[in-house]
Amino acid sequence: ECNGSDVFGSDICTCRPYLLHGIEECVRAAQAGGAGIIVYNRKEGRALGEVTKFMVYNARKRQEGGDSAQNYFKRTAVIAGVEDMRFQELMPDPLLWLGVKKIDRFISMSDMKYDAITSAGIEVVERVDIPEELIPADAKVEIDAKMYAGYYSGNKQVKTWEELNATVGREFEK
């Protein structure tokens, strides 16, 4: 769940684009005679809480040089003391309760989610990358930082540390 993008329309993260892409993929599956499931996890701001997440967003925008992929995880660690608090091992439970044994097209760049699903015995046939055109310009900071950190990148080119310096968000408007 991401109130920042889902409710307030922020484009600093990819939560909303991933949700919309997932819905589109579910519709495609249904139109082809299959089924699609959206599991919407309530883990606001990497499970750090909504207030902390907005403090991190604010710090990212206001830091010297603005928001950058090189400092993406650093800002979170400075504000929250950790980069991520999500515990994904229980994430597959709704899928298991629904009797899901196989996911043909898994839409998430999170290796933690993927590992939790496959560890629960659910087969993942294909991991689907979010199309580049669905990623808001400001959210490229998040995408590039996560890919550099080892998140699933699909067909996207993972940037070097030096190249990450060029991935920056919009300037903070005072």
Side-chain angles (χ1 to χ4, degrees):
E1 175 177 288
C2 178
N3 284 324
S5 69
D6 296 346
V7 176
F8 299 116
S10 170
D11 63 353
I12 198 170
C13 70
T14 57
C15 296
R16 183 180 181 90
Y18 261 105
L19 175 61
L20 295 175
H21 181 50
I23 292 169
E24 289 170 352
E25 289 292 324
C26 285
V27 169
R28 279 191 199 97
Q31 289 173 336
I37 298 172
I38 298 287
V39 177
Y40 197 72
N41 295 296
R42 301 196 76 183
K43 295 184 179 171
E44 184 73 42
R46 286 183 239 124
L48 300 170
E50 195 153 1
V51 172
T52 302
K53 180 181 84 169
F54 289 130
M55 289 172 64
V56 169
Y57 284 179
N58 191 34
R60 282 174 47 197
K61 284 296 186 183
R62 291 174 182 261
Q63 68 189 336
E64 187 174 327
D67 194 13
S68 71
Q70 281 186 335
N71 289 317
Y72 177 81
F73 289 107
K74 181 180 176 184
R75 274 306 114 218
T76 304
V78 166
I79 299 293
V82 294
E83 291 179 1
D84 197 322
M85 287 295 296
R86 287 177 287 197
F87 179 73
Q88 298 291 5
E89 281 72 15
L90 301 176
M91 191 277 299
D93 286 354
L95 297 170
L96 295 170
W97 296 331
L98 291 168
V100 174
K101 305 268 189 243
K102 180 174 86 169
I103 297 172
D104 290 314
R105 296 176 54 81
F106 178 65
I107 307 191
S108 173
M109 73 183 302
S110 171
D111 289 329
M112 289 187 291
K113 290 177 186 170
Y114 173 81
D115 292 344
I117 287 171
T118 56
S119 293
I122 299 172
E123 176 189 358
V124 174
V125 177
E126 177 185 10
R127 291 184 77 173
V128 177
D129 196 11
I130 188 169
E132 192 70 33
E133 64 271 11
L134 294 182
I135 303 169
D138 232 24
K140 290 187 188 308
V141 168
E142 173 191 344
I143 290 287
D144 285 354
K146 285 182 173 180
M147 289 190 314
Y148 180 81
Y151 284 59
Y152 175 74
S153 58
N155 294 322
K156 292 181 178 58
Q157 177 67 36
V158 178
K159 294 183 177 183
T160 65
W161 180 250
E162 292 75 29
E163 290 171 329
L164 283 184
N165 197 38
T167 303
V168 294
R170 284 188 317 273
E171 292 287 321
F172 175 71
E173 298 176 25
K174 294 181 181 181

